[in-house]
Amino acid sequence: MDRFALKPNLAIRLLPFCCDLPATCRHRVWLGPIAMLLIAASVGCQPSGDDTTGTEAKRNDAPVAVQLVSVQQSTTRQTSRQPATVHPFYEAALRPRVQGFVREVRSDIGDVVKAGDALIVLDVPDLEQDREAQRARIARLEAEVQRANAGAELARAVVQSAEANVAAAQSEMAGAEAELAAAESEFARTQDLVSRQSLQQRMLDEALQRRDSRRAALDAIRSSVNAAQAEVTVAQAKLTAAAADVDAAKADVDVALRQLDRIEVMLNFATIKAPFDGIITQRNVAPGDLVDAGAGAPLLRISQVDRVRVHVPVPESDAAHVNAGDAIEVAFPFFPDESPMQGTVTRVAGELDPSTRTMVVEAVLDNADGKLVPGMFGQATIELAVHENVATLPARAIRFDENGDAYVYVVNDQTVSVQNIQTGNDDGSTIEVLSDLPAGTNVIDAHLQRFTDGQQVAVLAP
């Protein structure tokens, strides 16, 4: 036999050695045919004498040395670790409300401002002229009110005069009625005397003439009373019209005042003020620029950063488990020596972004020292649930077969038994064991060897 004959069974034994990997290395490692031949050649090219075969047989029969780990009863936390982005608590893009020229820019990038501080002042000559013209119009309308009031007073005096004329006419009519009554009485008496031939016919004619004269005078006076009463009605109508003119003039003044108030409001917009406490993060304006309402880029951008909002896109698989009030910690790679910032979930969007299939979760963090800058990237860990008194194993001690089913090598009296298990929460280093695997059960720790039921092992001291 050739002294350097290749031992084919050695190459075959390499396959299980390379395929049995723990849960922390769940990707199978396959060696190509050439690599397998090279390995087999390197280890298989050895003398093929009888002594060598006997030594190898003894080596194969020797128990494999293993380290054991035991199932622990512990508390695990189900978490979701996702990227996070810092946003200002409030952010406002300041644009002009009126057209004008920039007179002053009182704040610049990085300036800390208070709510109500004047940041930009504009020159708005058109509005200033409109204000002066409106003030003049108001003065004219107020004069119209005075004239209307005077007209109303005149109409009121005319009414009073007409009513006085009616009273005088009625008094005169009363006298005329008395005189007519006296004339009719005299006429009747004279007629009686004339019929008895005590008086001449001439006396009756005179009495009749006086009676008719008094009757005609009474009719004239009655017409005067009616005319005076008509004058009262006309005067009262004129008074009503004059009062309406006063009301209309006052309404015109009120409208003009409201228009002046609007001009004043627009003039106030010529001074752009800070809407809240914050810091100026952008400036796109310089003195002398002509700016227009709502046109172009914002003149300034202000952000409130004493508190910040941290937005975390949570994937669909975890979105249903996140609730307001859940604990969250955010670590920033720019501060490697600092502990993660602790907080709680403040708001949950409640819907998934259809393009990313993620849901935005927000947490508010204190930033009084200004350390967190909007746009900064971090890593957020959200606590979804806490599982108490559950069986756990290190992730490296759990194997997975080609179907993804989990199993462990249980060791009892240095004898291996392969046991399939159900796994739960996996935090990357520890995995929950949902199967009936009592606490204290010993299993083989990470090992590249594949074991079988009943195989003997040598347990190494911990």
Side-chain angles (χ1 to χ4, degrees):
M1 183 180 291
D2 189 354
R3 184 181 177 187
F4 297 97
L6 179 63
K7 296 183 180 297
N9 61 335
L10 182 59
I12 293 174
R13 288 200 303 272
L14 287 173
L15 287 175
F17 178 81
C18 298
C19 296
D20 189 20
L21 297 178
T24 53
C25 302
R26 297 179 185 175
H27 302 286
R28 294 189 177 278
V29 179
W30 295 97
L31 299 179
I34 297 176
M36 293 293 297
L37 290 174
L38 290 174
I39 294 172
S42 63
V43 300
C45 294
Q46 53 182 321
S48 56
D50 296 337
D51 294 339
T52 304
T53 303
T55 303
E56 183 182 7
K58 292 180 181 179
R59 187 185 302 117
N60 290 337
D61 294 338
V64 179
V66 296
Q67 288 276 6
L68 299 182
V69 293
S70 60
V71 176
Q72 300 293 325
Q73 201 78 10
S74 59
T75 298
T76 64
R77 287 172 170 77
Q78 182 181 351
T79 60
S80 179
R81 183 175 176 85
Q82 306 298 334
T85 307
V86 176
H87 295 266
F89 190 78
Y90 287 129
E91 184 178 33
L94 305 184
R95 288 182 168 85
R97 181 67 176 79
V98 295
Q99 185 186 59
F101 293 94
V102 178
R103 183 199 308 168
E104 295 179 69
V105 180
R106 297 183 179 178
S107 296
D108 212 326
I109 294 175
D111 289 348
V112 177
V113 297
K114 296 291 185 182
D117 285 353
L119 307 180
I120 296 177
V121 180
L122 304 179
D123 277 327
V124 284
D126 294 347
L127 284 176
E128 291 172 354
Q129 289 298 321
D130 290 345
R131 178 174 59 182
E132 296 305 317
Q134 189 65 18
R135 286 175 175 172
R137 182 169 178 265
I138 290 172
R140 179 178 64 80
L141 292 174
E142 288 175 342
E144 291 289 336
V145 171
Q146 292 178 353
R147 185 174 66 177
N149 282 327
E153 290 297 326
L154 178 61
R156 191 174 292 107
V158 172
V159 168
Q160 292 174 351
S161 175
E163 289 174 344
N165 290 337
V166 169
Q170 288 175 341
S171 176
E172 187 177 353
M173 185 177 66
E177 288 175 344
E179 290 178 356
L180 176 60
E184 286 181 343
S185 177
E186 182 183 1
F187 173 75
R189 186 172 60 251
T190 301
Q191 188 179 27
D192 180 62
L193 291 174
V194 169
S195 66
R196 287 185 294 174
Q197 296 181 353
S198 296
L199 292 175
Q200 300 178 356
Q201 182 65 34
R202 178 178 58 82
M203 298 298 292
L204 180 60
D205 294 339
E206 290 177 355
L208 177 61
Q209 184 179 5
R210 284 193 296 271
R211 187 198 69 177
D212 292 342
S213 174
R214 295 293 183 273
R215 184 174 292 173
L218 179 59
D219 290 340
I221 292 173
R222 282 175 176 170
S223 297
S224 297
V225 170
N226 292 335
Q229 288 176 341
E231 288 179 359
V232 170
T233 301
V234 172
Q236 288 176 340
K238 289 182 178 180
L239 177 60
T240 301
D245 290 342
V246 172
D247 292 339
K250 289 181 178 180
D252 289 341
V253 171
D254 189 62
V255 170
L257 288 172
R258 300 289 78 75
Q259 291 174 341
L260 179 61
D261 290 342
R262 184 180 184 279
I263 294 174
E264 295 286 359
V265 170
M266 298 301 288
L267 282 168
N268 288 335
F269 285 137
T271 300
I272 299 176
K273 300 179 180 180
F276 46 76
D277 296 353
I279 184 171
I280 304 299
T281 58
Q282 287 186 20
R283 177 181 61 80
N284 301 301
V285 67
D289 284 351
L290 174 64
V291 296
D292 201 354
L299 307 185
L300 297 173
R301 189 177 295 274
I302 180 174
S303 298
Q304 182 179 351
V305 294
D306 56 343
R307 293 183 297 166
V308 294
R309 304 176 191 266
V310 176
H311 286 183
V312 183
V314 177
E316 184 175 3
S317 58
D318 294 335
H321 305 291
V322 182
N323 297 289
D326 286 349
I328 184 174
E329 64 176 28
V330 186
F332 295 95
F334 316 103
F335 311 115
D337 297 333
E338 298 185 13
S339 300
M341 300 186 70
Q342 306 295 323
T344 58
V345 173
T346 308
R347 296 171 186 85
V348 176
E351 68 174 4
L352 297 176
D353 184 334
S355 60
T356 63
R357 310 305 301 173
T358 60
M359 180 181 70
V360 174
V361 171
E362 181 181 280
V364 176
L365 299 180
D366 183 70
N367 190 39
D369 55 2
K371 178 175 62 177
L372 301 181
V373 179
M376 185 176 287
F377 171 81
Q379 198 76 20
T381 302
I382 304 173
E383 186 176 279
L384 305 179
V386 177
H387 302 159
E388 297 182 350
N389 298 322
V390 294
T392 61
L393 276 172
R396 64 181 184 274
I398 299 177
R399 277 77 173 171
F400 292 83
D401 61 20
E402 61 273 8
N403 297 321
D405 296 328
Y407 64 93
V408 293
Y409 296 126
V410 177
V411 177
N412 188 13
D413 293 335
Q414 300 193 1
T415 300
V416 175
S417 63
V418 181
Q419 184 169 338
N420 293 325
I421 62 171
Q422 297 291 327
T423 60
N425 181 48
D426 181 354
D427 64 7
S429 60
T430 302
I431 299 179
E432 290 182 13
V433 178
L434 304 181
S435 303
D436 185 14
L437 203 61
T441 302
N442 292 321
V443 302
I444 296 177
D445 202 354
H447 204 289
L448 294 179
Q449 176 86 22
R450 173 176 290 180
F451 299 91
T452 59
D453 279 322
Q455 184 174 346
Q456 295 295 309
V457 294
V459 178
L460 297 177

